[in-house]
């Protein structure tokens, strides 16, 4: 019997989950100490969980043995304080199955699974991909639905099929269409835990019932991200909106093709990481850096005093 058929995992995933960057040395090797320091700082700043090796973590630029080592070290560092969810971004379904089984052995808390990489799946193929992965592990699975980037939309009819897989428990909703949140709630009630996966619509998504926010720019401003989530969940929308309007220009960086480079460079400006990326990604041009510098400097000059919101 498949593991997923024997298991019905319960989760308590909610809040702000940064999609953390993988830090590299100048020679392109992984800087495990810098990566650990970055994650530890995020935990101290109050985030609720981490996505390791998502898009921002440059999953597809890591060798399989590197991926396993990143997971081992993240799990050891976090030591149960918050959930550690691993991105799963492999070129074939079989490779994905092998990876999720390794991740389960390492002891991560869940999986954020992407469609097969490189080949653009049909919806029917994507459903099959997720079914086989779910049946190969007992770990809880979050479906990463991002048709803008990956070319396949797992809509309501697809999710009706995938709802039969008991360990598919969450959705990272990245269609950019906030109406999907209401459609999912109307169709499935509380069957799935739904996260917003697009930085610049996070507040609207939380207001519409999203359980949390998977974010790239949280790596740069974690306290502000957590404050937006907390205020939104307390229905203190006017206060959340003040921080949101301050943050939005930077959040737009999550929606462009160079998002990884932009987020890493902003981390560097904040003293939280380095801009180094692996090829085929290039570092940003001087003009691109100047634009981000201007945005970052403006944000810092107008940074909101969070103590006035009484968030304790």
């Amino acid at each position: 019997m498949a593991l997923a058929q024997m298991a019905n995992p319960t989760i308590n995933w909610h809040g702000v989950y940064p999609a953390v960057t993988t830090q590299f040395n100048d020679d392109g090797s992984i800087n495990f100490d810098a990566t650990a320091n970055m994650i530890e700082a995020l935990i101290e700043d109050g985030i609720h969980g981490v996505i390791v090796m998502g898009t921002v973590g440059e999953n597809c630029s890591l060798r399989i043995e590197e991926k396993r080592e990143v997971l081992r070290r993240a799990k050891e560092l976090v030591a149960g304080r918050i959930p550690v969810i691993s991105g799963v971004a492999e070129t074939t379904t079989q490779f994905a199955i092998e990876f999720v089984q390794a991740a389960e052995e390492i002891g991560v808390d869940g999986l954020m699974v992407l469609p097969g990489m490189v080949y653009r799946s049909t919806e029917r193929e994507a459903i099959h991909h997720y079914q086989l992965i779910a049946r190969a592990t007992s770990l809880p699975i979050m479906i990463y639905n991002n048709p803008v980037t990956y070319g396949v939309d797992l809509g309501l009819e697809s999710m009706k099929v995938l709802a039969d897989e008991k360990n598919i428990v969450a959705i990272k909703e990245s269609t950019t269409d906030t109406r999907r949140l209401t459609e999912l709630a109307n169709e499935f009630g509380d069957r799935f835990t739904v996260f917003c996966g697009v930085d610049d619509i996070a507040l609207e998504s939380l207001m519409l019932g999203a359980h949390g926010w998977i974010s790239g720019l949280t790596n740069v401003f974690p306290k502000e991200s957590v404050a937006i989530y907390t205020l939104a969940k307390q229905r203190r929308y006017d206060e959340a909106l003040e921080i949101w309007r301050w943050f939005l220009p930077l959040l737009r960086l999550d929606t462009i093709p160079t998002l990884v480079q932009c987020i890493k460079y902003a981390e560097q400006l904040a003293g939280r990481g380095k801009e180094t990326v692996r090829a085929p990604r290039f570092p940003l041009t001087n003009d691109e850096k100047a634009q981000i510098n201007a945005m970052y400097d403006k944000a810092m000059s107008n940074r909101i005093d969070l103590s006035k919101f009484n968030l304790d």
Side-chain angles (χ1 to χ4, degrees):
M1 182 181 293
L3 286 173
Q5 292 175 318
M6 301 190 311
N8 187 8
T10 58
I11 59 168
N12 185 25
W13 297 348
H14 65 276
V16 178
Y17 283 47
V20 297
T21 59
T22 303
Q23 294 293 302
F24 298 119
N25 297 305
D26 291 339
D27 65 1
S29 61
I30 297 177
N31 189 329
F32 289 105
D33 289 340
T35 301
N37 292 338
M38 175 197 61
I39 294 174
E40 185 62 39
L42 289 167
I43 294 173
E44 292 174 1
D45 285 330
I47 54 95
H48 304 92
V50 288
I51 308 292
V52 178
M53 296 189 307
T55 303
V56 177
E58 296 180 73
N59 186 311
C60 293
S61 298
L62 304 184
R63 295 185 293 273
I64 185 62
E65 62 271 17
E66 291 178 320
K67 295 182 185 185
R68 292 174 178 173
E69 187 64 16
V70 167
L71 289 187
R72 288 189 193 98
R73 294 190 183 224
K75 182 65 180 177
E76 180 179 352
L77 169 71
V78 171
R81 290 176 289 171
I82 57 173
V84 175
I85 299 176
S86 174
V88 181
E90 305 298 326
T91 55
T92 73
T93 303
Q94 183 57 40
F95 292 165
I97 288 170
E98 292 167 6
F99 179 76
V100 302
Q101 290 175 339
E104 181 165 11
E105 184 177 345
I106 290 166
V108 300
D109 301 296
L111 306 164
M112 183 184 76
V113 182
L114 284 70
M117 297 291 96
V118 183
Y119 175 69
R120 180 170 290 189
S121 305
T122 66
E123 193 168 355
R124 185 166 64 97
E125 289 170 329
I127 290 170
H128 188 61
H129 176 77
Y130 282 107
Q131 287 172 324
L132 293 184
I133 293 170
R135 294 167 190 175
T137 178
S138 62
L139 287 175
I141 289 173
M142 175 188 297
I143 286 180
Y144 184 2
N145 188 40
N146 187 343
V148 176
T149 301
Y150 301 117
V152 55
D153 183 9
L154 292 169
L156 297 182
E157 294 304 313
S158 296
M159 293 312 303
K160 287 178 184 178
V161 177
L162 293 175
D164 290 337
E165 308 298 327
K166 292 183 179 180
N167 59 333
I168 294 180
V169 296
I171 304 169
K172 179 184 177 183
E173 179 49 52
S174 300
T175 59
T176 73
D177 183 356
T178 55
R179 291 171 294 191
R180 181 65 63 85
L181 295 165
T182 301
E183 292 167 351
L184 287 167
N186 287 344
E187 185 65 43
F188 299 106
D190 61 0
R191 170 64 180 83
F192 297 110
T193 296
V194 181
F195 278 75
C196 172
V198 184
D199 269 358
D200 64 354
I201 56 170
L203 179 56
E204 300 98 305
S205 297
L206 292 169
M207 293 171 71
L208 289 167
H211 298 85
W213 170 20
I214 295 173
S215 170
L217 271 300
T218 291
N219 290 295
V220 185
F221 288 106
K223 291 182 179 179
E224 285 82 358
S225 301
V226 171
I228 289 168
Y229 169 80
T230 301
L231 291 167
K233 286 304 171 183
Q234 294 176 359
R235 299 182 181 276
R236 295 162 63 184
Y237 297 130
D238 287 344
E239 294 165 281
L241 187 59
E242 181 181 351
I243 308 171
W244 181 253
R245 286 176 172 164
W246 166 86
F247 206 178
L248 185 61
L250 281 164
L251 294 173
R252 296 285 195 198
L253 296 175
D254 182 64
T255 66
I256 60 178
T258 55
L259 77 154
V260 175
Q261 294 96 312
C262 290
I263 290 166
K264 278 193 153 184
Y265 183 64
E267 277 185 298
Q268 181 168 296
L269 294 176
R272 304 184 74 100
K274 287 181 63 177
E275 66 172 310
T276 310
V277 292
R278 277 186 175 175
R281 290 185 174 90
F282 264 13
L284 299 175
T285 66
N286 288 336
D287 286 344
E288 290 169 327
K289 288 181 180 180
Q291 292 175 6
I292 296 173
N293 272 311
M295 295 165 65
Y296 180 81
D297 289 345
K298 182 176 181 180
M300 292 301 293
S301 68
N302 297 304
R303 196 169 189 177
I304 296 169
D305 180 4
L306 297 179
S307 65
K308 71 179 183 178
F309 296 111
N310 190 24
L311 295 167
D312 296 331

